Amino acid sequence: MFGLSSCALLPFSGVKYLRAWFYPVALWALIPIFLVADDLRRAWSFLPLMIIALLLALWVGWHRQQSQSFSAWFRNPDTLLPPLAGGMWEETFAEGYHWRRDQEAQHRLLSAQIVQLRDALQAMPDVVVLMDARGQLLWVNPSGIRLLQLQWPEDAGKPLAFWLRTPNLRAFLAGEGPPSLQLPAPADAQQILEGMRYPLADAGALVIFRDVTRIRQLEQVRQDFVANVSHELRSPLTVVRGFLENMLDSSIAADDEVSSQLRLMEQQTLRMQSLVEDLLSLARMEAAEANPEHCETLRIADMIHNMLDTLAPAIAQKRLQINTALDGDLGFFAETIDLTSIIRNLLENAIKYTPANRTVNVRWERRPGELLFVVQDTGDGIAVEHLQRITERFYRVDKGRSRRIGGTGLGLAIVRHAVERYQGHLEVASEVGKGTTFTAHFPLHLARSVVPDSAVS
């Protein structure tokens, strides 16, 4: 249609009416000109053609006028009922009317839902912040304005990092850092906020900060209680174990019944001591992040081999095959006690739950952007419903079997906290009947180059 897009943008008027008819009439008027230019005497012989052209021009002009009338009505939000039309355009106007009515109903429903959502977000006690792809503020609820001490709407369009000067904040807001971040509130340094970032489809992000001050206080009370009780239990258990050893070495142990009871007491004392040591290790790891002053470059491959030598009796007893793929030149900058806990607990766990005559695979390697320590067993595996809780304190998949095998139930919790101290994370993958794979992911910046002290398998 000639000029339809440009004409449809104008309101329906007399000028537009004339414009709708201009092209077909001009087309019809050109025919006699061409005929005269050819042969004036033969003009009357083309009269039927001219009549057909005129009718065609009238038909095209009428449809053009109807289309522009439909466009003018459809684009005018103030006019609900369509103008009168005839022919095929009557049905077109009717369909347009019903479609427009349905769209207006959906628009009213959507507007009501948006108002409800806005009211709910404004009533939330948590901070709700909407940012664009560059980290600039688009919207914040009243709780956010109060807790972040914003001047709204004057601060709209400014980056959130302008008010919150916290380490790793920019990486967190960009989606490159940890999944959550804790920071003191600008209004009150004693108030702790925990942020969670949720990416949006339009490349922006929704950030929610909730007040976790009370939770942190209760968590600190729990940590202090566990650490204090564990520390107070260490000395009595040491004394009890010392006396038991003396009694076992004395003549009183000559009686078989007394000797078996003393050895059972010694066994339970050792179990309690192991539990106390694990609780103290867990409390230490929860207390703070790793101190760089206490860190050193560790030869991980050598540490793994030394730990396997320590566990050699258990490995030989079950006739397990240990396959290692260790990068002997790849070191790690960390505290020795933390890496020792990670290596010992993962290897002990794999050996403990792998049936006899099977294999355990151990890898230490560099991957693009990260370091991996992988321990893969070929045991019974872990069901999917247990994977999310397997690293919780004292969580048992099979309580009866765990009691028979032994252990404190804190090993994997210690591993998870030790890995997280170095901004890493522990991944657990398992398939029932085929085994479980524990993968400790560490950031690449902790890698160091070392010369191995021993050959690496």
Side-chain angles (χ1 to χ4, degrees):
M1 302 294 289
F2 302 99
L4 178 59
S5 60
S6 59
C7 293
L9 298 176
L10 300 174
F12 185 70
S13 61
V15 175
K16 195 170 185 180
Y17 182 82
L18 294 176
R19 184 179 299 175
W21 285 92
F22 174 77
Y23 292 108
V25 173
L27 176 65
W28 177 78
L30 287 175
I31 296 177
I33 297 175
F34 284 111
L35 292 177
V36 171
D38 184 27
D39 190 351
L40 184 59
R41 292 174 297 177
R42 298 174 57 190
W44 290 104
S45 62
F46 290 95
L47 182 61
L49 180 61
M50 295 171 59
I51 295 175
I52 294 174
L54 176 60
L55 294 177
L56 180 61
L58 293 175
W59 183 79
V60 171
W62 180 79
H63 277 285
R64 181 171 173 78
Q65 185 269 332
Q66 292 293 324
S67 69
Q68 293 188 349
S69 177
F70 178 81
S71 177
W73 164 77
F74 193 79
R75 293 176 180 275
N76 186 2
D78 298 329
T79 304
L80 180 61
L81 294 177
L84 296 177
M88 60 177 291
W89 287 98
E90 182 178 0
E91 182 179 354
T92 302
F93 274 77
E95 291 294 333
Y97 168 74
H98 291 296
W99 183 89
R100 183 172 165 181
R101 187 179 61 180
D102 294 341
Q103 291 297 312
E104 291 177 352
Q106 293 181 10
H107 183 267
R108 288 193 297 270
L109 178 61
L110 180 60
S111 298
Q113 293 176 345
I114 291 175
V115 171
Q116 293 175 353
L117 177 61
R118 181 194 62 192
D119 294 341
L121 292 176
Q122 289 181 341
M124 286 181 62
D126 298 335
V127 178
V128 181
V129 178
L130 181 63
M131 304 185 311
D132 61 14
R134 297 179 296 176
Q136 296 177 342
L137 295 180
L138 298 179
W139 182 85
V140 61
N141 66 338
S143 296
I145 297 175
R146 175 176 53 84
L147 290 176
L148 301 181
Q149 292 186 326
L150 302 179
Q151 299 295 327
W152 200 259
E154 291 80 4
D155 291 334
K158 297 180 181 179
L160 186 61
F162 182 80
W163 296 274
L164 306 178
R165 303 184 182 276
T166 303
N168 301 323
L169 177 62
R170 294 185 182 275
F172 166 72
L173 296 177
E176 301 172 354
S180 63
L181 183 69
Q182 292 189 359
L183 67 159
D188 183 5
Q190 301 298 322
Q191 189 175 17
I192 305 300
L193 302 178
E194 182 180 41
M196 298 291 292
R197 180 185 181 277
Y198 303 94
L200 302 178
D202 58 354
L206 181 69
V207 181
I208 298 179
F209 292 96
R210 63 189 183 100
D211 187 356
V212 295
T213 307
R214 181 59 178 168
I215 297 176
R216 284 286 301 274
Q217 292 173 348
L218 295 176
E219 183 69 13
Q220 188 62 46
V221 170
R222 181 195 64 79
Q223 292 178 9
D224 293 342
F225 171 78
V226 171
N228 293 333
V229 170
S230 301
H231 187 270
E232 293 299 325
L233 285 175
R234 176 188 282 178
S235 297
L237 286 173
T238 302
V239 174
V240 171
R241 184 183 175 187
F243 279 113
L244 286 173
E245 290 177 349
N246 291 335
M247 295 174 68
L248 285 170
D249 293 336
S250 65
S251 59
I252 194 175
D255 189 331
D256 293 340
E257 183 177 356
V258 174
S259 176
S260 62
Q261 293 174 353
L262 291 176
R263 295 195 179 280
L264 180 60
M265 293 169 62
E266 182 185 34
Q267 179 183 356
Q268 296 303 316
T269 302
L270 289 174
R271 183 180 178 184
M272 290 187 64
Q273 278 189 317
S274 177
L275 176 60
V276 168
E277 294 299 329
D278 285 346
L279 286 172
L280 288 173
S281 297
L282 194 58
R284 180 186 64 83
M285 293 177 184
E286 291 177 330
E289 295 183 356
N291 187 351
E293 296 181 357
H294 299 159
C295 296
E296 58 181 320
T297 299
L298 304 176
R299 304 173 186 272
I300 302 299
D302 293 338
M303 293 178 66
I304 294 173
H305 280 294
N306 293 337
M307 188 60 64
L308 289 174
D309 291 340
T310 303
L311 300 173
I315 296 173
Q317 181 181 2
K318 302 180 74 173
R319 299 181 300 279
L320 299 178
Q321 179 180 350
I322 309 297
N323 299 325
T324 59
L326 311 177
D327 188 345
D329 299 328
L330 180 59
F332 191 76
F333 188 71
E335 294 186 42
T336 303
I337 187 173
D338 292 336
L339 267 295
T340 301
S341 297
I342 294 172
I343 295 172
R344 184 188 70 248
N345 282 292
L346 288 183
L347 290 179
E348 285 181 347
N349 187 78
I351 294 170
K352 184 186 302 182
Y353 291 102
T354 299
N357 300 313
R358 294 194 184 181
T359 61
V360 174
N361 301 313
V362 184
R363 302 201 315 270
W364 167 246
E365 59 190 2
R366 183 199 307 262
R367 288 288 181 88
E370 62 179 352
L371 306 174
L372 299 182
F373 174 53
V374 183
V375 178
Q376 181 183 25
D377 65 51
T378 52
D380 296 334
I382 304 171
V384 177
E385 59 269 21
H386 299 294
L387 291 179
Q388 296 296 326
R389 301 189 59 191
I390 194 65
T391 58
E392 294 180 5
R393 303 174 186 85
F394 303 109
Y395 185 78
R396 303 282 193 174
V397 175
D398 186 347
K399 295 180 174 60
R401 182 187 178 193
S402 298
R403 292 192 186 98
R404 293 193 304 270
I405 295 178
T408 62
L410 293 173
L412 293 180
I414 291 175
V415 171
R416 178 172 64 86
H417 281 85
V419 173
E420 291 176 352
R421 290 192 81 194
Y422 299 92
Q423 291 79 50
H425 67 278
L426 180 66
E427 179 186 0
V428 185
S430 183
E431 186 174 353
V432 176
K434 293 187 177 181
T436 305
T437 301
F438 292 90
T439 305
H441 299 258
F442 295 102
L444 189 60
H445 68 83
L446 296 175
R448 299 292 187 273
S449 296
V450 297
V451 177
D453 290 339
S454 59
V456 180
S457 300

